[in-house]
């Protein structure tokens, strides 16, 4: 397990640690509720430096990556970020990634444990292009702010960042890059920090947020927010058989960018106008079901669960899961495999 750079700081704060695909992650602090509540009502700080980062250099870096992902890269402005999927020739996902276009290179950050997989996939198609792939996980770390008081932590008069918008600033005497990340919380900002400066950045953000109610947020609290927001996570809700539209990733797909690996399959599925199954929400009440549990309607298997949490906002257990299109109507009752217990289909995101 690759330890967090800030392990000692989290340990001092009473952190519990878990392994996520070979990377150390803070599961939570104390009972975990303080961080979640802070993210909802004030501001929370999450150490996301477990995410893996690839750097692409060379004259053909943009055109090469443009042909490898579902999203626009060639016309992405320098300094901008975007979210994309990587799919194989059958249209099934290899991974998802955030892409950041800089003056001299491209950065891609991916879920922990998937950096080598993404690099191998890209190198398979890197033949004559002037592009080179580098592991940049050791160069940068990401600290994530969430909550309605996020702007106050980043300075008086700080203008909120739209999703994927970027802004440079100086933090603890070093240049960092802010990237709007509002997918799971509408005020979210990711702070990209040179890895050598992570400790100084964490301390500076913690100090700036102390009077605003800032609390550290662990992975389990972030998962609560993610599931409540209906956002799928690769490796949990998306795997190597998932078609992006099944996971509601239409926003990660450019439909006028031209050819890329898997584009024909994605185009055919889009033209057809529907997928046989889609990711949806499910209300479980107090049922304690595990990811992978089969969903049935009558005698027919119609889907399965992927993420299950006890939602403070809903006051019950809720889940993400894939359900056949004939059973997607909100309120539809489905039976959990192996028993008479039923759950209800709910639209995403879950409403408070």
């Amino acid at each position: 397990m690759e330890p967090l750079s800030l392990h000692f700081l989290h340990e001092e704060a009473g952190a519990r640690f878990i392994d996520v695909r070979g990377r150390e992650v803070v599961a939570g602090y104390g009972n975990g509720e303080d961080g979640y509540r802070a993210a909802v009502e004030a501001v929370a700080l999450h150490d996301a430096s477990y995410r893996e980062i690839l750097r692409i250099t060379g004259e053909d870096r943009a055109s090469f990556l443009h042909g490898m992902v579902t999203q626009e890269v060639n016309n992405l402005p320098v300094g901008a970020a975007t979210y994309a999927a990587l799919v194989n020739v059958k249209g099934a996902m290899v991974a998802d990634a955030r892409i950041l276009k800089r003056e001299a290179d491209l950065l891609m950050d991916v879920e922990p444990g998937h950096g080598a997989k993404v690099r191998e996939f890209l190198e398979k198609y890197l033949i004559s292009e002037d592009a080179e792939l580098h592991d940049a996980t050791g160069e940068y770390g990401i600290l994530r702010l969430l909550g309605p008081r996020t702007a106050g932590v980043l300075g008086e008069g700080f203008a909120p960042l739209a999703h994927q918008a970027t802004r440079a600033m100086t933090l603890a005497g070093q240049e960092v890059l802010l990237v709007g990340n509002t997918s799971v919380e509408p005020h979210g900002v990711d702070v990209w920090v040179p890895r050598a400066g992570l400790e100084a950045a964490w301390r500076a953000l913690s100090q700036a947020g102390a009077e605003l109610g800032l609390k550290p947020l662990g992975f389990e609290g972030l998962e609560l927010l993610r599931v409540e927001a209906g956002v799928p996570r690769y490796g949990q809700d998306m795997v190597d058989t998932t078609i992006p539209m099944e996971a509601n990733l239409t926003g990660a797909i450019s439909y006028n960018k031209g050819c890329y690996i898997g584009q024909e399959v994605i185009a055919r599925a889009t033209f057809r106008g529907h997928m046989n199954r889609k990711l949806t929400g499910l209300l479980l009440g107090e049922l304690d079901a595990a990811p992978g549990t089969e969903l049935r309607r009558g005698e027919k298997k119609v889907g399965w669960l992927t993420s299950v949490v006890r939602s403070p906002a809903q006051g019950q257990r809720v889940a993400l899961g894939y359900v056949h299109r004939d059973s997607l109507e909100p309120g539809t009752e489905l039976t959990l495999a192996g028993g008479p217990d039923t759950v209800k289909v709910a639209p995403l995101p879950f409403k408070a």
Side-chain angles (χ1 to χ4, degrees), residues 123-136:
E123 287 181 335
K124 176 181 176 182
Y125 294 95
L126 184 56
I127 301 172
S128 59
E129 295 87 354
D130 179 9
E132 293 185 16
L133 303 172
H134 314 268
D135 180 1

Side-chain angles (χ1 to χ4, degrees), residues 14-20 25-37 39 45-47 50 146 184 216-228 233 307-312:
R16 294 179 290 109
F17 299 94
I18 57 173
D19 182 312
V20 177
V25 171
V26 174
Y29 308 82
N31 61 19
E33 293 181 4
D34 289 347
Y36 170 86
R37 288 296 173 194
L45 178 59
H46 175 72
D47 183 357
Y50 51 79
L146 307 99
V184 302
L217 176 71
F219 188 78
E220 292 171 354
L222 184 63
E223 284 288 276
L224 287 181
L225 294 165
R226 179 186 70 78
V227 174
E228 288 177 344
R233 177 167 63 84
S307 289
V308 183
V309 300
R310 186 169 195 349
S311 164

Side-chain angles (χ1 to χ4, degrees), residues 3-351:
L4 286 165
S5 297
L6 301 183
H7 176 98
F8 69 99
L9 277 183
H10 300 309
E11 191 171 43
E12 289 174 0
R16 294 179 290 109
F17 299 94
I18 57 173
D19 182 312
V20 177
R21 297 184 179 273
R23 291 268 169 191
E24 183 179 64
V25 171
V26 174
Y29 308 82
N31 61 19
E33 293 181 4
D34 289 347
Y36 170 86
R37 288 296 173 194
V40 173
E41 301 170 1
V43 59
L45 178 59
H46 175 72
D47 183 357
S49 61
Y50 51 79
R51 289 186 65 84
E52 298 181 355
I53 301 173
L54 294 176
R55 184 159 57 90
I56 307 176
T57 59
E59 290 296 319
D60 299 332
R61 61 188 180 276
S63 58
F64 168 67
L65 191 60
H66 185 85
M68 297 298 300
V69 301
T70 58
Q71 190 57 277
E72 175 70 50
V73 178
N74 278 338
N75 294 319
L76 185 67
V78 171
T82 192
Y83 173 67
L86 295 88
V87 299
N88 61 25
V89 292
K90 296 181 179 180
M93 291 184 68
V94 174
D96 65 348
R98 177 172 47 185
I99 300 167
L100 176 61
K101 193 173 192 178
R102 303 196 301 181
E103 193 70 47
D105 59 18
L106 294 161
L107 296 178
M108 301 175 67
D109 73 295
V110 302
E111 291 289 336
H114 292 284
K117 177 185 178 182
V118 170
R119 183 172 180 175
E120 181 181 354
F121 174 73
L122 294 175
E123 287 181 335
K124 176 181 176 182
Y125 294 95
L126 184 56
I127 301 172
S128 59
E129 295 87 354
D130 179 9
E132 293 185 16
L133 303 172
H134 314 268
D135 180 1
T137 307
E139 299 176 28
Y140 304 97
I142 299 171
L143 304 178
R144 181 168 298 169
L145 289 164
L146 307 99
R149 297 179 183 171
T150 290
V153 177
L154 294 171
E156 185 176 349
F158 180 85
L161 279 170
H163 190 55
Q164 308 293 18
T166 68
R167 187 179 307 158
M169 72 171 287
T170 301
L171 176 66
Q174 59 191 327
E175 285 296 313
V176 302
L177 184 69
L178 310 180
V179 182
N181 187 349
T182 63
S183 57
V184 302
E185 198 284 319
H187 311 86
V189 174
D190 283 357
V191 185
W192 287 59
V193 185
R195 192 164 283 269
L198 272 177
E199 180 184 351
W202 178 274
R203 292 188 185 279
L205 293 170
S206 298
Q207 183 177 354
E211 294 184 358
L212 299 172
L214 183 146
K215 301 291 183 183
L217 176 71
F219 188 78
E220 292 171 354
L222 184 63
E223 284 288 276
L224 287 181
L225 294 165
R226 179 186 70 78
V227 174
E228 288 177 344
V231 177
R233 177 167 63 84
Y234 190 82
Q236 183 71 34
D237 312 282
M238 302 179 288
V239 294
D240 59 9
T241 57
T242 305
I243 305 298
M245 291 85 79
E246 294 176 334
N248 306 319
L249 297 192
T250 53
I253 301 170
S254 170
Y255 292 99
N256 55 13
K257 61 168 283 184
C259 294
Y260 57 88
I261 302 299
Q263 184 261 344
E264 291 184 3
V265 178
I266 299 298
R268 282 200 303 269
T270 302
F271 179 76
R272 190 169 68 231
H274 68 264
M275 301 301 298
N276 286 333
R277 60 182 178 236
K278 292 288 289 289
L279 190 74
T280 190
L282 296 138
L283 302 175
L284 277 60
E286 294 306 315
L287 297 177
D288 189 8
T293 299
E294 188 177 291
L295 298 168
R296 304 186 72 87
R297 191 174 183 184
E299 297 301 314
K300 183 180 180 182
K301 177 185 175 181
V302 295
W304 65 93
L305 305 180
T306 58
S307 289
V308 183
V309 300
R310 186 169 195 349
S311 164
Q314 295 294 314
Q316 62 177 302
R317 292 185 182 277
V318 302
L320 302 181
Y322 288 95
V323 172
H324 190 274
R325 59 191 175 92
D326 292 340
S327 300
L328 280 171
E329 182 68 25
T332 300
E333 291 195 350
L334 305 176
T335 304
L336 292 177
D341 296 321
T342 60
V343 302
K344 287 185 179 181
V345 175
L348 294 174
F350 292 100
K351 295 181 180 179

